[in-house]
């Protein structure tokens, strides 16, 4: 996990907002779509199922983002506690 790793200590991390192409995604979604068409599912059911179909790479990416946001949330919570405590103590701005 991000919190436990010391491998990147002192190394800046740049998060990309660009789309990551996953070659396995389209064939997987096509297979799901074809299977549901054979079962005579509605277009809406097919669309929902296809949109909820993820490859292992997509799941790994989602987990990485979740872990990162968890750490950011924890840091914000700690920072906010310190800010509130300073307001209570009257030491804000000193």
């Amino acid at each position: 996990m991000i919190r436990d790793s010391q491998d990147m200590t002192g190394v800046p991390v740049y998060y990309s907002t660009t789309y990551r192409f996953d070659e396995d995604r389209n064939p997987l979604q096509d297979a799901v779509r074809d299977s549901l068409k054979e079962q005579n599912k509605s277009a809406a059911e097919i669309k929902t199922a296809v949109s909820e179909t993820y490859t292992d790479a997509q799941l790994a990416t989602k987990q990485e983002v979740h872990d990162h946001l968890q750490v950011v949330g924890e840091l914000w919570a700690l920072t906010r506690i310190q800010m509130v405590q300073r307001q209570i103590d009257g030491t804000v701005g000193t």
Side-chain angles (χ1 to χ4, degrees):
M1 291 208 11
I2 295 171
R3 272 172 275 185
D4 302 330
S5 176
Q6 297 300 315
D7 296 337
M8 297 295 290
T9 301
V11 178
V13 176
Y14 303 97
Y15 289 91
S16 173
T17 57
T18 58
Y19 177 75
R20 295 182 190 180
F21 181 71
D22 186 348
E23 293 177 4
D24 297 331
R25 184 175 187 207
N26 287 341
L28 178 62
Q29 289 180 330
D30 290 342
V32 168
R33 187 178 295 110
D34 293 343
S35 172
L36 294 175
K37 281 182 182 178
E38 288 175 4
Q39 298 173 34
N40 295 319
K41 298 291 183 180
S42 71
E45 290 174 308
I46 293 171
K47 182 177 180 179
T48 299
V50 168
S51 70
E52 294 174 349
T53 301
Y54 299 103
T55 64
D56 290 341
Q58 287 176 300
L59 292 172
T61 299
K62 285 178 72 164
Q63 187 62 49
E64 287 175 21
V65 171
H66 177 270
D67 291 347
H68 174 71
L69 293 175
Q70 182 73 28
V71 170
V72 170
E74 290 172 8
L75 288 172
W76 169 245
L78 291 172
T79 302
R80 184 66 182 130
I81 290 168
Q82 291 175 3
M83 292 168 58
V84 169
Q85 189 60 51
R86 289 186 69 189
Q87 287 175 338
I88 293 169
D89 294 344
T91 59
V92 175
T94 60

